[in-house]
Structures are given as structure tokens and as C-alpha cells.
Amino acid sequence: MTATLHVIFGPSGAGKTTYAHAFARRERAVAFILDDWMARLFGPDMPEPLEYDWMIERVGRCEAQIWSAAAAVLATGTSVILDIGLMRKADRARVREIATATELPLQFHFVDAPQEVRRARVGERNVVRGESFAIEVSPDMFEFIEGVFEAPDADELVGAIRSESA
């Protein structure tokens, strides 16, 4: 069986991490969840209020380490699931370029839900702090992320697995 790079993307609160964990268990793949890495490595040092430049620099470090670890896992023949944000089309295109250049089988998974459902999930996740909780997402942070996310167009979704919850 050929190892596949599965890439999960969608807006905040859509259920990406829950989807990634369930998919990893079902497919016996290794999931790399950016928020988990950020919380473990940098959560205790996170400034309040969160500073964008501080966060982006550390996201870059985590992504570099995730890519390194994911490449090692893929080399063993085990599929990998990346839940690393990819809020912008250019970020997703970069992943596609990497997969093409390294001849990795690639499968995108677009996870979505209506905005009010997502907003409610994020609020509940902040309180319950269950399996998918890594970092608290304030209402202001949710709104910021909403402004950053670039929804995929029809061309970008060709061949993607789509999951929408209500």
C-alpha cells in the first residue's frame, strides 16, 4: 500500500481536528495537528494578548518540524494526515507543489460547517476543553481567522473529499 499525504483544511471550528483524529484511527495513519504542537511547545509562553508576529514565527517553526517528521513517517509507508491550518489558497498550493515535486500521493479533505455552528463550537470547545481543544480561540481571534480564511473555489475542490456538518 502506498503512503498518502492527507491534507485537512477548512475554516475555524469546522471540525478539522475531530475529522483528522477519526480519520487517523480509521485509516491507521499518523495525524500531525498544528494546534497541538503550538499548545505544547509555546502555550505556556504565549503573550496576552496574542501577538500576530510572535505567533506566525512559531507556527513556521512548528510547520518545519511537522514536515520533517511527516516525511520520515511517509518514508516508512505509513500515511500522514496534516491539520496545519492552510487558511490561504497559496498555502494549499504550496502543499500541492511539495507533493508533486516529491511524487507523493496527495488527498485534500475540505471540512466545513455554517459560520454560526462553527462559532458555537469554538465557544463550547473553549469551555469543555475536550479532545480537539489545544488553544483557546477568543471571539476576536475567531473573527480574525474568519478574515484570513480563503474559501476554496470549484477548481481547488476537484478530487477533494468534502465533509460538511450542521
Side-chain angles (χ1 to χ4, degrees):
M1 183 170 133
T2 302
T4 299
L5 176 63
H6 294 275
V7 178
I8 315 298
F9 75 102
S12 183
K16 298 179 301 293
T17 300
T18 300
Y19 180 96
H21 284 300
F23 189 76
R25 286 189 295 269
R26 188 174 64 247
E27 300 297 321
R28 307 185 122 232
V30 177
F32 291 91
I33 314 294
L34 177 64
D35 288 351
D36 291 346
W37 286 59
M38 287 291 292
R40 177 83 38 99
L41 296 173
F42 305 115
D45 308 317
M46 200 172 291
E48 187 61 44
L50 185 58
E51 299 165 8
Y52 182 77
D53 290 339
W54 182 94
M55 180 189 66
I56 290 301
E57 193 271 329
R58 283 153 184 84
V59 164
R61 281 196 243 165
C62 282
E63 282 186 1
Q65 190 60 34
I66 286 170
W67 274 106
S68 177
V73 170
L74 286 160
T76 71
T78 302
S79 291
V80 162
I81 300 163
L82 296 183
D83 175 9
I84 58 171
L86 303 179
M87 303 303 273
R88 295 185 171 110
K89 290 179 183 186
D91 299 331
R92 299 186 295 266
R94 181 177 45 90
V95 169
R96 189 177 303 278
E97 289 170 8
I98 291 168
T100 299
T102 57
E103 299 180 348
L104 271 175
L106 173 66
Q107 178 64 65
F108 278 102
H109 300 252
F110 177 57
V111 180
D112 199 8
Q115 184 183 52
E116 287 313 309
V117 170
R118 295 185 291 104
R119 188 185 318 276
R121 281 184 187 159
V122 167
E124 182 178 343
R125 184 174 62 207
N126 287 340
V127 173
V128 174
R129 299 182 181 234
E131 179 186 34
S132 65
F133 177 83
I135 297 172
E136 186 166 328
V137 176
S138 69
D140 287 343
M141 189 182 299
F142 181 87
E143 292 305 322
F144 175 78
I145 295 167
E146 284 292 287
V148 171
F149 180 71
E150 295 176 357
D153 57 28
D155 289 341
E156 191 178 1
L157 290 174
V158 170
I161 294 171
R162 298 170 75 169
S163 175
E164 185 161 347
S165 57

